Amino acid sequence: MDVKGVAFLARQAQAEQTFGRDRWRAFLAEQAKRDPIFAQPVMPVTRIPADAFLRLNDAMTRQFYAGDPQAYWQYGVRSAEYALSQGQLKAIFSKGEHRRFAMFTPGIWKGYFTAGDLAAQLQGNVTELRITGVPQPHIYFELSVMGFASGGLSYLSGKQVPHEVLKGFSRGDQEVVYRFTLPD
């Protein structure tokens, strides 16, 4: 499984904005000693082995967030807010299009990862998102992706969107299932 460079670039932009460019570059230089792919320029279409990408995110979480696993959720929320307010999704979605966004999430998965699948099902005001087939079940894939969904749904609806965790890698399950209750 590979992670596309666009995921790395989003994380880099967040880190530079939050911690400063110098601190991020010093961190990345250390990571490049273990995973040389990070010593090269990463383009949006660069394919990063999932192992290296997960080590980078784990190290970032330890160094910048004292190892708090909820940082993965925040990576997703902040990425969604950025993508919808000034990034690649700004031209695609407008405020109030949270239901359409929910159904679009499988395409977002495909834009970031080369394996696994995300399916979306919408019934009434409930959407269920399911991640399956991930060869490396890791909390990153659960929390950052579901955080992205949560952040996008909240951003577009203008309201907090409650969710329920039905299954998750964080619980030892081999798939992830979250249920979001959408506002009218």
Side-chain angles (χ1 to χ4, degrees):
M1 175 176 190
D2 291 331
V3 177
K4 296 177 186 174
V6 67
F8 168 85
L9 295 171
R11 193 72 61 248
Q12 175 174 279
Q14 274 182 359
E16 287 181 351
Q17 183 179 31
T18 305
F19 303 108
R21 189 175 201 165
D22 291 341
R23 195 165 170 207
W24 168 254
R25 285 187 175 182
F27 168 77
L28 193 59
E30 283 301 309
Q31 295 309 300
K33 292 175 184 175
R34 170 182 261 163
D35 292 303
I37 192 161
F38 299 118
Q40 309 166 37
V42 174
M43 306 300 291
V45 295
T46 300
R47 299 216 174 192
I48 302 168
D51 286 342
F53 187 76
L54 292 172
R55 279 191 294 272
L56 175 87
N57 279 274
D58 287 345
M60 184 176 165
T61 301
R62 281 190 307 275
Q63 183 162 332
F64 296 112
Y65 298 95
D68 181 0
Q70 285 307 306
Y72 293 111
W73 183 270
Q74 290 307 311
Y75 297 159
V77 169
R78 291 182 59 206
S79 291
E81 291 168 351
Y82 175 83
L84 290 163
S85 67
Q86 51 191 311
Q88 72 275 21
L89 299 180
K90 182 179 180 180
I92 299 173
F93 295 99
S94 300
K95 293 285 188 172
E97 293 187 310
H98 51 282
R99 291 175 189 280
R100 192 166 76 83
F101 174 81
M103 297 311 294
F104 184 78
T105 55
I108 296 169
W109 176 273
K110 294 288 185 206
Y112 284 84
F113 311 113
T114 62
D117 189 47
L118 187 145
Q121 183 178 358
L122 180 64
Q123 287 188 293
N125 69 335
V126 174
T127 190
E128 199 169 275
L129 301 181
R130 178 180 305 265
I131 300 172
T132 57
V134 177
Q136 295 168 275
H138 187 281
I139 195 171
Y140 166 84
F141 296 114
E142 174 185 348
L143 295 182
S144 68
V145 171
M146 293 304 170
F148 189 97
S150 179
L153 292 168
S154 294
Y155 179 83
L156 292 171
S157 70
K159 299 177 182 175
Q160 281 299 109
V161 176
H163 69 275
E164 178 183 0
V165 182
L166 303 177
K167 292 183 180 181
F169 299 146
S170 60
R171 296 178 170 190
D173 298 316
Q174 291 300 303
E175 66 179 346
V176 174
V177 182
Y178 277 50
R179 185 174 292 147
F180 294 87
T181 302
L182 305 177
D184 292 328

